[in-house]
Amino acid sequence: MALASTEKVILGSIAFSIFWVLAVFPSVPFLPVGRTAGSLLGAMLMVIFRVVTPDQAYTAIDLPILGLLFGTMVVSVYLEKADMFKHLGKLLSWKSKGAHDLLLRICLISAISSALFTNDTSCVVLTEFVLKIATQHNLPPDPFLLALATSANIGSSATLIGNPQNLVIAAQSKISFGSFLVGILPAMVIGILVNALMLLCMYWKLLSIQKDKEDAASEGVDEEDMSSHPLLAATMSHCISLNLQERNSNFEPMDIQSPPATVNGDANHVESLRNRLTSNETSRYKRILWKSCVYLITIGMLISLLMGLNMSWTAITAALALVVLDFKDARPCLEKVSYSLLIFFCGMFITVNGFNGTEIPSTLSDWMEPHAKVNRASGIAVLAVVILVFSNIASNVPTVLLLGGPVAASAAAISAAEEKKSWLILAWVSSVAGNLSLLGSAANLIVCEQARCDPDRGYTLSFWNHLKFGVPSTIIVTAIGLILIS
């Protein structure tokens, strides 16, 4: 396919390049405005340079994707308010049998929560729990933070609401939620297991040494050391408090005749305490009932998605049902929605649409098509490498927007089954590609930034530590998943 006019190609490439630089490196010294502003800047330049008209720019914004993203974010906010993620955090350390068991739990919980509530949300709420548990058990944070980030990326591939690029695929491919889940789930499960085994192999010795040190320290501790250990000190203070309460309850005062006024005062005080306890008990039951309803609505949303109902309106309906159920001013909860992400998507849609108008992606697709047929093993390998490279250079969401249409059209020319397979391959590789480097996905950056900014347990996950595990893990997990999907 021929390129557009030279002027349109040059100006469109400039606008897209500015968007790409600010999306991948949001704090560049010459223009540190961030990803959201960079996305809007790219969109505005596409209009100013007349690569797209204002009407075409508005048309390029995909409202179903924005509606689905908004609905899932609101549902996640209310699930967090209902302590769902706190319960997930408690599961990480409940009856844990050591560091290796803890690592496997993190992989499992991160994958499941990411498939249901998006990988970015899971990383935001679980990083603090993971870092806290690692610090309390005197364990190195690196393997656990890697387990959280990499498992979140792999797990998010299983559903159409697991990550932003899958939301794009949901809108463009028209594949049903259940069909997509069945197609990707085996690859996701095996991928999580392989990723966890690779983490255990790489960090087994380090985790074993740290566990031995912890056990030796706990065996040799005496009474004087107990007060200095935060966990033991907290336990002792709790026990002392209970003992004092028990002694006070068993204490029998001398039989002294009290004045009637004092007796009446005590009776009023007891009645006040009884009313307060009754009120607290009622509030507790209301809270439990409200939480149960939040979980039921969320389950109902997932069932509706599996039944093939419109994904965008299903998510929005569930979000509004939770707002009404809360029966309070929704502004505090709605303010937690990442509107900057929604604006970023709007700008990205316009920018990518303008870049497509230059015909550069179509030309590259035409050149790649004969070598990337999804009905051949060699073609799948070439397509996977292209997606992997593009996802780490241009980020996974723009990669799906740029490659999705041409790849699906090429596969559709073979058969409908091959078209579906092409979308599954695109979803799988673009999701797992985020594990290649620290800059590969937003989930990685969220884990790194959350850990670094933690006020009590600040820790930096280095680019090299992520890379030396991410490269082999990404290659092996991607290859295994492609075999299962194909």
Side-chain angles (χ1 to χ4, degrees):
M1 184 178 289
L3 293 175
S5 64
T6 304
E7 180 186 4
K8 192 172 184 179
V9 169
I10 293 174
L11 294 178
S13 298
I14 291 173
F16 184 79
S17 298
I18 292 173
F19 158 76
W20 176 80
V21 170
L22 294 177
V24 178
F25 308 103
S27 298
V28 289
F30 64 86
L31 197 63
V33 296
R35 287 188 177 88
T36 302
S39 174
L40 289 177
L41 178 60
M44 182 195 70
L45 290 176
M46 286 292 182
V47 176
I48 291 177
F49 293 159
R50 297 184 179 180
V51 179
V52 295
T53 65
D55 289 339
Q56 289 173 333
Y58 285 123
T59 305
I61 297 174
D62 199 320
L63 292 178
I65 295 178
L66 295 180
L68 180 57
L69 186 59
F70 172 77
T72 53
M73 284 194 291
V74 173
V75 171
S76 296
V77 168
Y78 279 95
L79 283 171
E80 184 177 6
K81 188 177 179 181
D83 297 332
M84 167 64 80
F85 297 105
K86 186 182 293 184
H87 297 323
L88 290 177
K90 289 179 180 178
L91 279 176
L92 293 177
S93 59
W94 181 68
K95 293 186 178 180
S96 176
K97 296 180 181 178
H100 306 96
D101 174 52
L102 181 60
L103 190 72
L104 292 175
R105 290 189 189 203
I106 291 173
C107 290
L108 181 63
I109 292 174
S110 174
I112 295 174
S113 61
S114 296
L116 299 177
F117 314 118
T118 76
N119 54 349
D120 294 353
T121 300
S122 297
C123 288
V124 167
V125 298
L126 291 179
T127 300
E128 181 184 354
F129 290 110
V130 169
L131 201 60
K132 182 187 297 183
I133 292 169
T135 304
Q136 287 178 345
H137 292 81
N138 193 31
L139 294 168
D142 268 9
F144 302 103
L145 293 176
L146 282 172
L148 175 62
T150 56
S151 298
N153 287 326
I154 298 171
S156 69
S157 66
T159 66
L160 287 170
I161 60 172
N163 55 49
Q165 63 268 23
N166 281 10
L167 297 177
V168 175
I169 292 173
Q172 292 187 352
S173 68
K174 308 303 180 183
I175 299 175
S176 69
F177 189 92
S179 179
F180 185 91
L181 178 64
V182 171
I184 292 282
L185 188 60
M188 187 273 275
V189 172
I190 301 300
I192 288 295
L193 292 176
V194 171
N195 188 68
L197 289 175
M198 292 183 68
L199 279 167
L200 286 175
C201 290
M202 181 172 286
Y203 291 100
W204 185 277
K205 187 175 180 180
L206 178 61
L207 294 177
S208 299
I209 292 173
Q210 293 296 127
K211 184 65 173 64
D212 292 340
K213 287 181 180 179
E214 185 184 1
D215 292 341
S218 61
E219 287 174 4
V221 74
D222 54 25
E223 274 187 31
E224 293 181 3
D225 294 331
M226 281 186 179
S227 60
S228 63
H229 194 287
L231 295 178
L232 293 175
T235 305
M236 284 186 64
S237 64
H238 179 65
C239 293
I240 291 171
S241 175
L242 288 177
N243 288 335
L244 287 174
Q245 291 177 11
E246 185 178 355
R247 289 182 185 180
N248 289 336
S249 63
N250 293 333
F251 179 73
E252 295 182 3
M254 295 176 62
D255 188 13
I256 300 176
Q257 192 72 25
S258 301
T262 305
V263 172
N264 290 336
D266 289 345
N268 292 335
H269 181 63
V270 169
E271 184 65 25
S272 175
L273 285 175
R274 185 182 291 113
N275 291 335
R276 193 180 305 169
L277 288 172
T278 303
S279 176
N280 290 339
E281 192 73 11
T282 303
S283 299
R284 189 171 72 88
Y285 282 123
K286 286 182 179 179
R287 175 75 176 166
I288 292 173
L289 179 62
W290 179 80
K291 286 183 181 180
S292 301
C293 291
V294 171
Y295 299 152
L296 287 174
I297 290 174
T298 305
I299 293 171
M301 181 190 77
L302 296 174
I303 293 174
S304 299
L305 293 175
L306 286 171
M307 291 173 61
L309 298 182
N310 184 281
M311 295 180 63
S312 179
W313 283 107
T314 297
I316 293 174
T317 301
L320 290 177
L322 292 173
V323 168
V324 173
L325 177 68
D326 197 30
F327 209 67
K328 295 177 183 175
D329 184 359
R331 184 171 57 182
C333 289
L334 294 179
E335 285 175 350
K336 294 182 179 180
V337 171
S338 179
Y339 294 102
S340 61
L341 180 61
L342 297 175
I343 295 172
F344 172 82
F345 263 73
C346 291
M348 181 180 62
F349 287 140
I350 297 171
T351 306
V352 172
N353 181 263
F355 189 60
N356 282 331
T358 65
E359 303 299 344
I360 293 176
S362 300
T363 304
L364 292 175
S365 176
D366 290 343
W367 173 81
M368 181 185 72
E369 183 185 6
H371 311 285
K373 296 288 187 180
V374 293
N375 60 339
R376 301 196 305 260
S378 59
I380 292 174
V382 171
L383 179 60
V385 170
V386 170
I387 297 171
L388 195 66
V389 172
F390 270 53
S391 293
N392 279 274
I393 293 178
S395 186
N396 39 30
V397 180
T399 295
V400 169
L401 284 170
L402 290 170
L403 296 180
V407 168
S410 173
I414 303 172
S415 70
E418 295 299 325
E419 181 185 7
K420 176 186 174 183
K421 185 168 73 173
S422 69
W423 285 114
L424 295 179
I425 290 173
L426 187 61
W428 172 253
V429 180
S430 63
S431 298
V432 180
N435 289 340
L436 189 70
S437 72
L438 194 60
L439 301 175
S441 78
N444 299 343
L445 297 174
I446 287 170
V447 169
C448 182
E449 192 65 17
Q450 290 277 106
R452 187 182 66 82
C453 296
D454 190 287
D456 301 320
R457 296 165 292 274
Y459 181 82
T460 300
L461 177 64
S462 70
F463 181 88
W464 167 246
N465 283 346
H466 190 287
L467 189 69
K468 68 182 181 181
F469 172 76
V471 171
S473 171
T474 301
I475 294 172
I476 294 173
V477 171
T478 300
I480 292 174
L482 287 174
I483 293 172
L484 293 173
I485 292 171
S486 299

